[in-house]
Amino acid sequence: MMSDKKIYLDYAATTPVDKRVLDAMLPYFSEHFGNPSSVHTFGQRTEAAIEAAREDVARILGCNIQEIIFTSCGSESDNLALRGTALAMRHQNGSNHILISPTEHHAVSLTAEQLRSHFGFELEYLSVDSFGQVDPEEVEKRLRPDTAVVSIIYANNEIGTVNPISEIGAICRERKVAFHTDAVQAAAYLPVNVNQLNVDMLSLGAHKFYGPKGIGALYVRNGTPILPVQTGGGQEFGLRAGTSNVPYIVGLASALELAEQERDARRNHVQPLRDRIISRVTDSIPDVKLTGHSKDRMPNHASFVFQGVDGNELLMMLDIEGYACSSGSACKTGDPEPSDVLMSLGYPTLWALGSLRISLGTHTTSEEVEAFLDVLPHTIKNNRQLVRAH
Ligand SMILES: *Cc1c(COP(=O)(O)O)cnc(C)c1O
């Protein structure tokens, strides 16, 4: 059955820009267009907008304005944190060891892999439990005197699991090792106070919390050694050259402010819908497992593996029915390989290939969820029949 109205259940891939955020951005395209590095009034006006945005972000993160670096996206923030700190630490004291979890976003894991393959760093992966959660004691055991940087994802985009960042951060702090967390997925719903989290670096990307795509931020605690990855002009305290993207910086700050103000209301809206999906799917469909943690998980996030299902085919079948979901990370769509994250949790390939992620947002209604839950069981059944016929 072809449906005209498409229902969006993929907020972990990206979110629509909030109308209030768009309104805040619009004057900075054509009206207030000056280069914020210029001395004249045109420049002063946009510089003031950037500095106001930086103050807003710093207040929400609980840090100083000099500790906020605007970047082009969450991926760039992750790259700057990992590559910048690893290279600076090695230059400073010869540290050569990088410690990450096996459930990092590719923006972290492939940066770390490149630091290993092309820059001679020693890369070590922590182990995780079957929910994809890192044990702080495990971090403590693996830290070495020559560890340059530790990076652990705050909330995983594929399986929704939330890590005990504050506990891990306390351990790294005691051992004086730089600790980065990728909070790109987490920031939409979880607290981002960098002192409560005990982090030295934290990555954000606006499009995961109703801001625009193509803008991110990196928190860098004062005193953390970090080498700029992009050199040129002195913007962003010399850590990120390039004329500032004024409207998008304004948009990121506005979106983060709204996320902070509306955090509880947003959570209260999505969490019961998520719980409804998890219980209905696990009760009504055979050979299914919830992936990720049952309690320590993103409130808008439900993810599963179905034995004997072709995940990519399932997404296409659901799209025809009118539902936009994901099999995990948006970057992997069309890739027949099972996800690294699911494989690191120990799922057999036949399960890992049948993954489905449903992520909800402010616009999701319970009618949409019920309609989806009515369609899913027979879609899974048809998919399994197709897989068996091949
Ligand atoms: C989306 C995402 C990224 C990448 O952010 P972009 O702004 O799209 O580059 C990194 N890490 C996590 C956990 C994400 O969910």
Side-chain angles (χ1 to χ4, degrees), residues 251-319:
L252 179 142
S254 163
L256 188 64
E257 184 89 71
L258 291 168
E260 179 78 0
Q261 282 165 16
E262 298 177 2
R263 197 178 299 287
D264 292 344
R266 290 181 187 184
R267 169 187 281 273
N268 292 341
H269 174 68
V270 290
Q271 193 160 310
L273 299 174
R274 175 205 70 180
D275 290 343
R276 168 87 180 141
I277 292 173
I278 292 176
S279 64
R280 264 284 296 275
V281 169
T282 50
D283 286 351
S284 69
I285 300 177
D287 296 319
V288 59
K289 286 190 170 76
L290 177 74
T291 57
H293 208 282
S294 59
K295 287 188 204 71
D296 296 339
R297 71 181 298 131
M298 286 291 280
N300 68 327
H301 189 293
S303 56
F304 306 94
V305 284
F306 300 91
Q307 187 184 27
V309 160
D310 177 332
N312 282 328
E313 189 69 36
L314 178 64
L315 295 186
M316 288 186 263
M317 292 166 85
L318 286 170
D319 189 48

Side-chain angles (χ1 to χ4, degrees), residues 12 73-75 78 105 107 153 155 157 182 184-185 205 207-208:
C73 59
S75 298
D78 287 342
H105 188 277
I153 192 163
N157 47 302
D182 174 343
V184 178
Q185 194 64 229
H207 76 98
K208 302 287 173 66

Side-chain angles (χ1 to χ4, degrees), residues 39-57:
V39 170
H40 47 63
T41 311
F42 291 84
Q44 287 166 19
R45 184 164 281 152
T46 50
E47 204 209 352
I50 291 181
E51 292 323 310
R54 202 185 303 280
E55 272 170 33
D56 289 342
V57 174

Side-chain angles (χ1 to χ4, degrees), residues 12-13 72-76 78 104-108 153-158 182-186 203-208 213-216 331 357:
S72 70
C73 59
S75 298
E76 189 193 325
D78 287 342
E104 296 303 308
H105 188 277
H106 277 171
V108 167
I153 192 163
Y154 187 175
N156 185 274
N157 47 302
E158 285 186 54
D182 174 343
V184 178
Q185 194 64 229
S203 298
L204 297 173
H207 76 98
K208 302 287 173 66
K213 295 163 189 60
I215 184 72
C331 326
R357 176 183 75 186

Side-chain angles (χ1 to χ4, degrees), residues 300-351:
N300 68 327
H301 189 293
S303 56
F304 306 94
V305 284
F306 300 91
Q307 187 184 27
V309 160
D310 177 332
N312 282 328
E313 189 69 36
L314 178 64
L315 295 186
M316 288 186 263
M317 292 166 85
L318 286 170
D319 189 48
I320 290 167
E321 297 276 359
Y323 300 93
C325 303
S326 166
S327 60
S329 160
C331 326
K332 296 205 185 88
T333 307
D335 189 343
E337 293 289 307
S339 120
D340 297 339
V341 170
L342 292 176
M343 293 308 280
S344 79
L345 304 191
Y347 288 106
T349 309
L350 270 182
W351 283 81

